Amino acid sequence: MSAASGNFGSAAHTKRELAAELASVLAFSAIRNSDKVGLILYTDEVELYISPRKGRRHVLRVVREILFMSLAAAAPTR
């Protein structure tokens, strides 16, 4: 998602906040089942890769990266 489209949304939630909320629910569910969680953020190229790991601190890092990753430097795809 580009920086412009990631900040678009309703008055209550932006797309980025909704994506972070959904990712956190799935990630915490995964670690409850002893699964690993990783992250790839991309535009037309990989912007950020976090290798899969277990643990609450790792999930919090993943969610933090989704919320605060700046994709403004990425070129628009259209």
Side-chain angles (χ1 to χ4, degrees), residues 59-71:
V59 167
L60 292 174
R61 176 182 176 211
V62 166
V63 173
R64 185 172 49 249
E65 292 292 345
I66 293 170
L67 284 171
F68 298 111
M69 178 68 179
S70 172
L71 301 177

Side-chain angles (χ1 to χ4, degrees), residues 6-39:
N7 293 328
F8 179 77
S10 69
H13 296 289
T14 63
K15 284 184 182 179
R16 185 178 295 216
E17 291 168 339
L18 186 59
E21 186 175 345
L22 178 61
S24 66
V25 168
L26 294 173
F28 279 109
S29 177
I31 64 169
R32 284 191 66 160
N33 290 316
S34 297
D35 292 328
K36 295 179 180 180
V37 174
L39 176 68

